[in-house]
Structure formats: C-alpha cells, structure tokens
C-alpha cells in the first residue's frame, strides 16, 4: 500500500466513512482524549487576565467551539486549506506563557482584546507564509522525523503523569495513593480491553476504559459533579465578547513567534500522522494543513478563542486503534462544536477525573513515542553520523522535560521556543542533519547519508540519484491493516 489509488480500487482508509454509530463513538473517543488539553489553556489564561470563574468557563466553551472549527478545516478542508488527514486541532499550549505575560502586563479590560488582536495578526501572517514554510518538508528525512515523533511522545508523557497525580500540584490530594491507584487501574483496564476485545470494541478500548474508570471513580470520591449542576443548557460564544481586538506591537511579535513554533510542531505532526495512516504527507499536504492551522487561528478570536495547532495525543490514538478515517475526526470536530454551544454536554465530558485520563494517556502518548522509534529503525542508524544526530537532538529536546527551569535566566522571548522540547529537538535535528549529511556527502552505495532511502517518499528534495529500489512495503497485521507507523 502506498496511499496512491487508481480508479476502481477501494478508497484509501483515510477517505472511508464508517457506520454512524462507529463514527460517533470513535469521534467521541478523540474528544475524550483531547478535552483536558483544550480547556487547560483558557483555565490558565482566564484568571491571569482577571476573569471571574463564570467568564473563564465562557472562555473554555469558546475554546471547544473554535477547536471544532479548526478540526473541520483540517479534516474536510476546502480549496487549498486542510491536510485532509485524521488531524485534530485545538488550543496550543505554546501560546500560554506569552498570553499570561500579556494579561499580567495589561489592565483587565484590555488584556484579552490585545491578546486576540495579536492572535489574529499571527494567524494571517502564518496563512500567507504557509506555502513557503511547507517547502521545509525536504529537510525532514526519517532521521529527523523519527527523532521528532519520539520527542512528541516523550514530551507528552509528563502531562499524563501530572494528570495521574491529580493535575493540580497545589491540591492537598496531589499524588495521593487514591489518584495514582485510579490511574494505574485505568491503565490496566485499557491494556486488558485491548488484549481481550476484538474488532470495533478493541478500537474504542480507550473510550471504554475512560468510562469504566469514571464509574469506578464515583464511589472512590474523585468525580466532581459541580460543573454539571452549574452548567447552562445553551451558551453561544458571542463574537468579541470581551471587546474589539486591539493591536499592540510587542504582543503581535510574541504571538508571531508562537505561530512559527506551532507551524513547526504541526509539520512534524503531519509527517508522523502521514506515516501512521499509510499516506505520507507531501509538500502539498503540509501546505494545506498549515493553512488550516493558521486560518483556524485567525478566525478563533472572533469567537473568543486562541491560537490553534495539532494535538499530538490524538496521533497516538490513531496509531493504537488503526481507525484512520478523517471523517471520524471530523465527527469529533462536530462534537467539539456542540460542546462549545452546550455547556451541559461539555460538563458531561469533564466528569472524567484527571487520574483516569492520565492512566489512559500513558498508553496513548507511549504509542506516539513507539511510532517514532519505529521510524528511526528505517533511518540507517549505522550509516554516517545519524546516531549522533538522534542523540544530540533527543538530549536537547529533553531539557525542558527533565529540567524545566534550565533556561530560567535567558530572555523570556526565547522561552517561547526553548520551553518546547519538540521545537528545540526538531531544530537541532534539522541543523545537524544538514551539517553532517548534506554539503555533498554520500554513502558508497548511493543512498543518502541521512538514512533516506533513494526513491522513498522522504527522499524528495534531497538531490539524491535516480531511485535504485522501490519503497519498502508497509507491514500489515492479520486484518490487512498497516501495523502502525509504517516505515518507508
């Protein structure tokens, strides 16, 4: 399977639709996996901008609504917008630090309008440069993509560990035996379900595990029903609810840097997802995906939302379940829109305790790291200096994870990039790949020194000789489905 289908062949799994019930439950599973990540940024930014609890809840609903719009732009697309892959978009964590800084530096009535104005400009500029940014795909051979995919998974694991402890390190029960026990129990439930179930039920093992964990958590006493009792039935995110956007140069520059970071991470995520679903992301796919990212970002402030980018945890869900239909994720986007318009429905999803979500998250995020390791297996690690490239890039990428305060004495503007292990690791991998494997260096057998097989999809743009061998076949499982993160 190469993802290229001639007339008369069946649709590629990415373009297939499922029966309505399977479509809904699989889409709901994606929403459950990303829900905490979507509502967390507004929960942080809202209080920093002086918002009340009610206004912060409104901001959370707006973030769900705009994440749904951005996800539909990615999966369904139009014109040259959208990767048309099972690619989930939501509020980017990369923008939290600068937005909090803006909120604290401005008066409460000006903070959000200034943030929204900066996000609009950053989104528009990102949309304009997307065609040029997408050309960087030729600098992402397997030694780079494998490193970045591995870092994505490893960078997400601390999030799962934090959720497993309770999510709030100031809470008295943070890291309690109860929280960790629930996370461990959910982790085991997911593994058992994946082992004993078959067919569609196996594909939604994460959702079933979250439901089972939540039900068990009720008598344990860690399920909070207060949000459900206080939520209203209908709540539309009124355009410019917090005032018309304002345009501040310093804030705009800060958010433009954030946009570049988001575009770098999204490029790596699209390459990872393309390999997992058996449809490698080429330059046109990445261009469309970046346009969807940036257009969604530019539109979000209209409905009181923030910058959007890819959600890597959902890539792990695709890798584990092997449900590759983009229409499943589009269904998840519709569910997000409904949740944004119906606070009661959103509150039902929020009933899942963070320890339960953390237990499932360990499996999800670990799947992403495993996909990266599998990609590195095709990167000819025995050739040239590829092992050194991976070692250096992973080492630098782990700094923000292993030592969060490592860069504390550097200028705050640099922290937007340096605090993202994915971005720093990606940049180091690209730079070292250029330094060690390009500038005319070739191996004796004619293959690129960076481990890109000549003639393979990742070889485009490297100036390699004519193909000497076809791309490797995608490994399949017993059902004939690609066995997660196929190598070139």
């Amino acid at each position: 399977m190469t993802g290229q289908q001639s007339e008369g062949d069946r649709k590629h799994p990415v373009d297939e639709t499922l029966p309505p019930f399977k479509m809904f439950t699989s889409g709901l599973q994606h929403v459950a996996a990303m829900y905490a990540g979507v509502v967390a940024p507004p929960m942080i930014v809202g209080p920093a901008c002086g918002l009340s609890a009610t206004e912060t809840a409104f901001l959370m609903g707006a973030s769900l609504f705009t994440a749904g719009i951005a996800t539909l732009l990615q999966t369904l697309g139009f014109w040259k917008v959208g990767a048309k892959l099972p690619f989930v978009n939501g509020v980017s964590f990369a923008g939290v630090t600068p937005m909090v800084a803006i909120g604290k530096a401005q008066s409460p009535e000006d903070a959000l309008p200034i943030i929204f104005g900066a996000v609009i400009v950053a989104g528009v500029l990102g949309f304009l440069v997307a065609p040029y940014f997408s050309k960087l795909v030729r600098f992402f051979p397997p030694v780079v993509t494998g490193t970045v995919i591995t870092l994505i998974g490893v960078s997400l694991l601390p999030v799962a560990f934090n959720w497993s402890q309770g999510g709030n390190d100031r809470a008295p029960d943070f890291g309690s035996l109860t929280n960790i026990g629930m996370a461990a129990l959910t982790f085991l439930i997911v593994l058992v379900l994946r082992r004993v179930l078959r067919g569609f039920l196996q594909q939604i093992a994460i959702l079933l595990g979250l439901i089972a964990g939540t039900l068990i958590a009720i008598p344990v006493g860690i399920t909070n029903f207060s949000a459900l009792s206080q939520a209203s039935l209908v709540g539309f995110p009124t355009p410019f609810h917090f005032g018309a956007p304002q345009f501040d140069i310093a804030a705009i520059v800060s958010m433009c840097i954030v946009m570049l970071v988001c575009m770098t991470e999204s490029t790596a995520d699209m390459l990872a997802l393309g390999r997992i679903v058996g449809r490698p992301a080429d330059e046109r796919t990445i261009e469309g995906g970046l346009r969807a990212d940036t257009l969604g970002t530019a539109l979000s402030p209209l409905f009181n939302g923030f910058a959007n980018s890819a959600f890597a945890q959902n890539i792990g869900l695709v890798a584990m379940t092997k449900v590759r239909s983009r229409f499943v994720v589009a269904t998840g986007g519709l569910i997000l829109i409904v949740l944004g318009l119906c606070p009661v429905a959103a509150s039902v999803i929020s009933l899942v305790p963070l320890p339960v979500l953390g237990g499932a998250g360990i499996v999800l995020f670990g799947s992403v790291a495993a996909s990266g390791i599998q990609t590195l297996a095709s990167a000819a690690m025995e050739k040239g200096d590829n092992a050194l490239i991976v070692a250096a890039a992973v080492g630098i990428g782990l700094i923000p994870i292993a030592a969060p305060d490592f860069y504390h004495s550097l200028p705050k503007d640099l922290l937007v990039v340096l605090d993202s292990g994915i971005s720093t690791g990606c940049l180091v991998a690209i730079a070292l790949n250029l330094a060690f494997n390009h500038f005319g260096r070739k191996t004796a057998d004619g293959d690129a020194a960076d481990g890109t097989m000549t003639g393979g999809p990742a070889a485009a743009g490297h100036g390699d000789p004519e193909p000497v061998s076809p791309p490797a076949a995608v490994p399949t499982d017993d059902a004939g489905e690609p066995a997660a993160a196929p190598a070139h």
Side-chain angles (χ1 to χ4, degrees):
M1 292 176 62
T2 64
Q4 302 296 324
Q5 301 291 326
S6 60
E7 287 188 10
D9 290 341
R10 70 181 183 88
K11 290 182 179 179
H12 190 283
V14 169
D15 298 319
E16 288 182 341
T17 57
L18 304 181
F21 178 74
K22 291 184 177 181
M23 192 88 76
F24 174 78
T25 51
S26 298
L28 184 62
Q29 186 170 231
H30 275 283
V31 172
M34 71 177 293
Y35 181 88
V38 174
V39 300
M43 288 175 64
I44 299 171
V45 175
C49 294
L51 299 187
S52 64
T54 302
E55 291 172 323
T56 300
F58 177 90
L59 208 60
M60 291 164 57
S63 294
L64 291 168
F65 181 79
T66 54
I69 293 176
T71 299
L72 290 179
L73 288 174
Q74 277 289 10
T75 52
L76 302 181
F78 69 94
W79 183 56
K80 296 181 180 180
V81 175
K84 296 183 180 179
L85 290 172
F87 201 50
V88 178
N89 272 42
V91 182
S92 172
F93 256 99
V96 170
T97 299
M99 287 192 295
V100 168
I102 294 170
K104 291 181 177 179
Q106 304 294 331
S107 61
E109 61 271 14
D110 292 331
L112 281 175
I114 288 176
I115 290 173
F116 291 149
V119 171
I120 290 173
V121 174
V124 171
L125 289 179
F127 187 87
L128 295 176
V129 304
Y132 308 100
F133 199 94
S134 64
K135 296 184 184 300
L136 297 177
V137 66
R138 64 195 182 97
F139 298 117
F140 285 83
V143 70
V144 175
T145 56
T147 300
V148 175
I149 296 167
T150 303
L151 279 173
I152 290 172
V154 173
S155 297
L156 287 169
L157 281 171
V159 177
F161 301 152
N162 179 267
W163 289 347
S164 298
Q165 296 176 88
N168 182 5
D169 57 5
R170 298 180 181 179
D173 65 341
F174 183 76
S176 66
L177 183 61
T178 300
N179 287 342
I180 294 177
M182 279 305 309
L185 180 60
T186 305
F187 176 80
L188 290 174
I189 290 173
V190 171
L191 293 182
V192 170
L193 291 176
R194 285 287 300 175
R195 179 66 182 87
V196 302
L197 297 178
R198 292 291 181 268
F200 176 67
L201 291 178
Q202 186 185 62
Q203 294 172 347
I204 61 170
I206 290 289
L207 180 61
L208 296 177
L210 291 174
I211 293 173
T214 302
L215 293 176
I216 295 172
I218 294 175
V220 172
I222 63 172
T223 304
N224 188 353
F225 291 91
S226 60
L228 184 61
S229 62
Q230 298 172 5
S232 57
L233 183 61
V234 179
F236 184 77
T238 312
F240 298 131
H241 177 81
F242 298 97
Q246 301 177 27
F247 302 96
D248 178 85
I249 296 298
I252 289 172
V253 171
S254 180
M255 292 311 299
C256 283
I257 295 173
V258 169
M259 195 73 258
L260 291 175
V261 172
C262 291
M263 293 170 73
T264 301
E265 293 185 359
S266 287
T267 298
D269 288 339
M270 278 183 272
L271 290 167
L273 185 60
R275 296 174 71 84
I276 288 170
V277 301
R279 178 183 280 178
D282 56 16
E283 185 178 313
R284 181 177 297 179
T285 300
I286 292 175
E287 179 182 338
L290 293 177
R291 278 196 170 118
D293 267 4
T294 53
L295 179 59
T297 294
L299 293 176
S300 287
L302 173 64
F303 300 103
N304 314 285
F306 303 120
N308 287 296
S309 67
F311 263 49
Q313 54 261 53
N314 294 82
I315 296 176
L317 188 58
V318 174
M320 194 180 75
T321 65
K322 299 178 185 175
V323 177
R324 294 173 283 165
S325 171
R326 60 190 173 100
F327 297 105
V328 164
V329 175
T331 302
L334 291 174
I335 294 173
L336 286 169
I337 291 176
V338 171
L339 295 179
L341 297 175
C342 182
V344 168
S347 298
V348 172
I349 299 293
S350 69
L351 291 178
V352 179
L354 284 180
V356 171
L357 195 59
I362 294 173
V363 181
L364 285 178
F365 306 157
S367 297
V368 179
S371 297
I373 294 170
Q374 186 170 352
T375 302
L376 286 174
S378 69
M381 298 291 285
E382 75 283 358
K383 296 183 180 181
D385 298 294
N386 287 336
L388 178 62
I389 294 172
V390 174
V394 170
I396 296 297
L398 287 177
I399 288 177
I401 303 169
D405 297 326
F406 187 84
Y407 299 113
H408 75 278
S409 62
L410 298 181
K412 290 184 178 180
D413 291 340
L414 292 177
L415 298 183
V416 175
V417 177
L418 296 177
D419 278 345
S420 170
I422 298 171
S423 297
T424 54
C426 179
L427 293 174
V428 170
I430 292 173
L432 293 181
N433 179 59
L434 290 173
F436 286 108
N437 291 327
H438 289 261
F439 306 115
R441 290 187 58 182
K442 299 288 181 181
T443 59
D445 61 3
D447 287 344
D450 59 8
T452 305
M453 296 174 59
T454 53
H462 283 279
D464 294 327
E466 291 299 313
V468 296
S469 62
V474 175
T476 58
D477 56 20
D478 295 337
E481 299 290 344
H488 287 307

